[in-house]
């Protein structure tokens, strides 16, 4: 591991300054992903800027919802009474991720910014365009069981590993970002990016920009939301595929529906085509399956990851049909 | 503006009730600081990548993986390891439960398992739900610590010997004893 210096600023502005002016600097949150990457040689900063003591560890109610501080621990967020009541998909997604210990350490912003679990990205001895731009993609034609089925490029077929981010994608979240020029707000869907020619860039953030909070907006659909995850073992495994779903019905008709997939793409995949097709009619399993088929029309698969098509279809149908029969008083 | 450290930093930790001070390389994990610098060898290095749980300690009261924590970032923290929970003459109820139910074979993962159970029981006492908790609302009262709940909540601790049946029984016994104490 490369020699490092360490800095513990006392304000967010000071943290931004310490990273912006220093190309080899990076932020240290809970460390559950970064410390592993330092050991594996996947990332080689020369300065760590600790953002754990900036007072960003509170959840505050706002007029429209909640403001979740960037340093709020995953376990605290999952157990927060308002999250459990008004944004159950987020609580479910957090509880489906990692282990009890890691949820105690990992932060909200760190969870968003965690890097792919593609086996080649994590093996510094193999070519990987995300780790080393221009070196090639070992996953294409290699072990492909976890590969993306939507939005991949010739440069990268990795998927985003977060459960939490998939839930935030259906909760109309906004990411609050502090940079050298001040604060800006990023609609959740615009935070993560598809790989294109630059898979080394997971997000649209610039070097030095610091996520300070995520804001969530209350809605009927958010209140009737859930998260389901398919994985290789019952607990403590990354998703093969997952779905976050939120639903509002008027009588039998769908008036608001939101679907996002994990394990499908380089970012949480908001299934907007399927959502549009489901609006205005009853929430029936076959209609969900047909809508998902349209969403998956552009999917590109290999023999190794083709199973994800059926799995995404089934898990989405299950999540939405369960939500449709969820009674108000059972939530 | 805070100044960056050099390649090393002086940190203070309270470990198993004792105040300790040590100069560490910035790259040193909390696990290595405890084991290699402070000779606190109860937490074990299994995978060193956050996959096995054998390095679990209570860090400021929460079960945490010391292999994924940098020591320098936890300057001022309180660390409790399995060795600090009880002594051979005065075992912690969780330690006693592992003995009573043969919750181990080789014992390498045990200090991490014990700390994880202690932290987990505290999370349950606070009403934290888990992936297998049906009702998120918390309105139906305390979480019932079924075998499924124990297995889910302890999934971050691997036992290479496969003593899981005993570990689940130990956790459930400890839940009853500590509830009686509480």
């Amino acid at each position: 591991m490369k020699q490092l210096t360490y800095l513990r600023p006392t304000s967010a502005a000071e943290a931004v300054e310490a990273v912006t002016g220093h190309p080899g600097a990076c932020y240290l949150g809970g460390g559950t992903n970064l410390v592993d990457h330092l050991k594996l040689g996947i990332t080689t900063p020369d300065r760590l800027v600790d953002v754990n003591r900036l007072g960003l560890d509170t959840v505050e109610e706002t007029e429209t919802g909640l403001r979740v501080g960037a340093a709020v621990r995953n376990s605290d967020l999952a157990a927060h009474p308002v999250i459990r009541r008004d944004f159950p998909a987020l609580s479910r997604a957090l509880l489906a991720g990692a282990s009890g210990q890691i949820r105690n350490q990992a932060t909200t912003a760190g969870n968003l910014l965690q890097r792919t679990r593609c086996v080649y990205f994590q093996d510094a001895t193999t070519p990987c365009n995300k780790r080393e731009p221009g070196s090639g993609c070992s996953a294409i034609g290699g072990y492909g069981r976890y590969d993306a089925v939507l939005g991949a490029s010739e440069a990268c077929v990795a998927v985003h590993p977060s459960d939490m981010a998939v839930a935030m994608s259906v909760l109309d979240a906004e990411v609050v970002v502090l940079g050298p020029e001040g604060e800006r707000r990023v609609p959740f869907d615009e935070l993560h990016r598809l790989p294109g020619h630059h898979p080394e860039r997971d997000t649209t953030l610039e070097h030095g920009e610091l996520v300070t909070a995520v804001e969530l907006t209350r809605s009927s659909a958010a209140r009737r939301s859930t998260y389901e995850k398919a994985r290789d073992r019952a607990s403590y495994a990354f998703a093969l595929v997952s779905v976050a779903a939120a639903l509002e019905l008027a009588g039998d008709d769908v008036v608001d529906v939101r679907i996002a997939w994990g394990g499908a793409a380089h970012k949480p995949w908001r299934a907007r085509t399927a959502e549009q097709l489901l609006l205005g009619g009853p929430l029936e399993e076959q209609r969900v399956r047909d809508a998902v088929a349209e969403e998956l029309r552009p999917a590109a698969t290999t023999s190794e990851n083709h199973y994800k098509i059926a799995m995404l279809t089934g898990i989405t149908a299950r999540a939405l049909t369960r939500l449709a029969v969820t009674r108000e008083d059972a939530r | 503006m805070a100044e960056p450290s050099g390649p090393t930093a002086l940190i203070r930790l309270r470990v198993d009730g004792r105040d300790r001070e040590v100069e560490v390389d910035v790259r040193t994990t909390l696990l290595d600081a405890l084991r290699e610098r402070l000779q606190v060898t109860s937490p074990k290095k299994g995978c060193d990548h956050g996959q096995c749980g054998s390095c679990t300690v209570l860090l400021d009261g929460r079960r945490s993986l010391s292999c994924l924590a940098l020591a320098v970032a936890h300057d001022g923290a309180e660390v409790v390891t399995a060795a600090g929970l009880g002594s051979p003459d005065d075992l912690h109820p969780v330690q006693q439960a592992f003995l009573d139910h043969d919750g181990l074979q080789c014992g390498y993962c045990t200090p991490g398992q014990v700390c994880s159970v202690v932290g987990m029981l505290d999370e349950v006492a606070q009403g934290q739900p888990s992936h297998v908790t049906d009702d998120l609302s918390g309105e139906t009262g305390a979480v019932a610590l079924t075998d499924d709940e124990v297995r889910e909540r302890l999934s971050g601790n691997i036992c290479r010997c496969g003593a899981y049946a005993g570990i689940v029984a130990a956790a459930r016994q400890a839940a009853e004893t500590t509830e009686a104490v509480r």
Side-chain angles (χ1 to χ4, degrees):
Chain A
M1 204 191 295
K2 202 164 117 183
Q3 200 167 69
L4 284 166
T5 61
Y6 170 85
L7 185 64
R8 187 187 298 144
T10 52
S11 74
E14 205 182 304
V16 169
E17 192 185 331
V19 171
T20 304
H22 196 99
C26 76
Y27 294 117
L28 171 68
T32 56
N33 200 207
L34 180 62
V35 173
D36 194 27
H37 286 177
L38 295 176
K39 293 180 188 185
L40 293 167
I42 290 173
T43 183
T44 53
D46 58 23
R47 174 194 281 186
L48 297 180
V49 177
D50 189 338
V51 289
N52 285 291
R53 306 190 197 193
L54 306 179
L56 300 176
D57 56 352
T58 58
V59 179
E60 289 158 21
E61 297 211 39
T62 64
E63 274 182 26
T64 50
L66 283 185
R67 181 182 171 98
V68 179
V72 172
R73 305 289 145 171
N74 288 179
S75 50
D76 290 338
L77 190 56
H80 194 283
V82 178
I83 298 285
R84 288 157 70 169
R85 187 191 66 209
D86 291 347
F87 307 94
L90 182 53
S91 193
R92 288 283 178 212
L94 285 159
L95 294 171
S99 67
Q101 291 96 317
I102 290 177
R103 289 191 294 272
N104 277 338
Q105 296 170 268
T107 63
T108 305
N111 189 319
L112 285 181
L113 301 179
Q114 66 180 302
R115 310 213 61 199
T116 185
R117 294 281 163 168
C118 176
V119 292
Y120 299 102
F121 174 76
Q122 297 203 98
D123 177 355
T125 66
T126 61
C128 168
N129 288 321
K130 184 179 278 299
R131 182 168 25 78
E132 199 182 334
S135 63
C137 174
S138 303
I140 295 174
Y143 180 77
R145 191 157 174 271
Y146 302 128
D147 292 356
V149 296
L150 288 162
S153 73
E154 287 174 10
C156 183
V157 292
V159 299
H160 197 268
S162 172
D163 294 298
M164 184 195 78
V166 179
M168 285 184 175
S169 174
V170 299
L171 297 175
D172 284 347
E174 271 196 332
V175 183
V176 185
V177 176
L178 186 67
E181 312 296 323
E183 192 173 283
R184 70 185 179 104
R185 305 171 68 84
V186 183
F188 195 82
D189 208 24
E190 294 171 23
L191 177 70
H192 298 98
R193 54 186 296 286
L194 292 175
H197 298 301
H198 289 285
E200 72 279 10
R201 297 193 60 191
D202 293 350
T203 71
T204 55
L205 300 181
E206 298 297 331
H207 178 75
E209 285 194 309
L210 176 71
V211 174
T212 55
V214 176
E215 294 197 355
L216 306 171
T217 306
R218 269 190 222 95
S219 68
S220 299
R223 205 171 158 98
R224 188 191 290 237
S225 67
T226 193
Y227 183 79
E228 299 210 21
K229 177 175 179 179
R231 43 186 159 174
D232 278 330
R233 55 184 186 226
S235 185
Y236 201 18
F238 287 93
L240 297 171
V241 303
S242 68
V243 61
L247 180 67
E248 184 185 357
L249 297 171
D252 285 339
D253 286 345
V254 176
V255 293
D256 189 359
V257 60
R258 308 174 203 168
I259 303 164
W261 289 331
H266 194 258
K267 60 184 285 189
W269 186 271
R270 186 75 187 263
R272 295 187 190 274
T273 300
E275 292 172 7
Q276 283 301 318
L277 288 168
L278 286 170
L279 284 175
L283 198 289
E284 291 164 354
E285 179 170 349
Q286 193 55 49
R287 288 189 74 231
V288 177
R289 288 179 173 272
D290 292 345
V292 167
E294 279 307 309
E295 184 75 37
L296 287 170
R297 198 172 287 280
T301 63
T302 66
S303 58
E304 292 197 47
N305 68 358
H306 190 72
Y307 74 94
K308 290 189 176 184
I309 300 298
M311 206 177 254
L312 284 165
T313 308
I315 204 169
T316 307
R318 188 173 70 180
L320 279 169
T321 51
R322 282 181 180 174
L323 279 182
V325 297
T326 305
R327 289 172 303 125
E328 182 74 32
D329 60 359
R331 263 174 258 152
Chain B
M1 179 85 186
E3 287 299 312
S5 71
T8 67
L10 182 72
I11 63 163
R12 290 177 183 81
L13 296 170
R14 188 166 177 83
V15 183
D16 293 337
R18 271 181 72 195
D19 289 317
R20 310 290 295 266
E21 204 173 79
V22 62
E23 177 101 10
V24 291
D25 188 295
V26 167
R27 296 168 286 188
T28 310
T29 61
L30 180 61
L31 176 63
D32 285 342
L34 291 168
R35 291 183 57 84
E36 308 296 333
R37 303 300 311 284
L38 299 172
Q39 282 71 54
V40 176
T41 54
S42 162
K44 298 294 184 280
K45 184 177 283 192
C47 70
D48 208 27
H49 291 283
Q51 296 170 2
C52 78
S54 68
C55 66
T56 303
V57 298
L58 299 167
L59 179 57
D60 290 327
R62 296 170 176 234
R63 55 179 173 153
S64 302
L65 299 177
S66 59
C67 80
L68 292 184
L70 288 180
V72 69
H74 295 281
D75 184 16
E78 165 142 35
V79 179
V80 176
T81 74
L85 286 169
S87 64
D89 298 332
D90 183 21
L91 292 175
H92 186 281
V94 171
Q95 294 170 323
Q96 185 62 52
F98 270 73
L99 287 182
D100 293 347
H101 292 277
D102 287 336
L104 66 149
Q105 187 176 318
C106 82
Y108 193 80
C109 71
T110 310
Q113 300 273 6
V114 166
C115 286
S116 191
V117 171
V118 171
M120 180 272 284
L121 292 178
D122 190 44
E123 291 158 13
V124 171
Q126 291 172 33
Q128 292 189 14
S130 85
H131 173 64
V132 300
T133 308
D134 283 332
D135 179 17
L136 273 187
S137 75
E139 284 157 9
T140 49
V143 177
L145 203 57
T146 59
D147 282 5
D148 280 354
E149 283 281 355
V150 171
R151 288 175 192 280
E152 164 59 28
R153 289 169 188 265
L154 295 181
S155 67
N157 291 82
I158 308 300
C159 170
R160 180 65 182 79
C161 303
Y164 296 112
I167 293 169
V168 172
R172 292 191 65 169
Q173 174 181 312
E176 285 165 21
T177 6
T178 51
E179 201 168 337
V181 171
R182 194 175 281 121

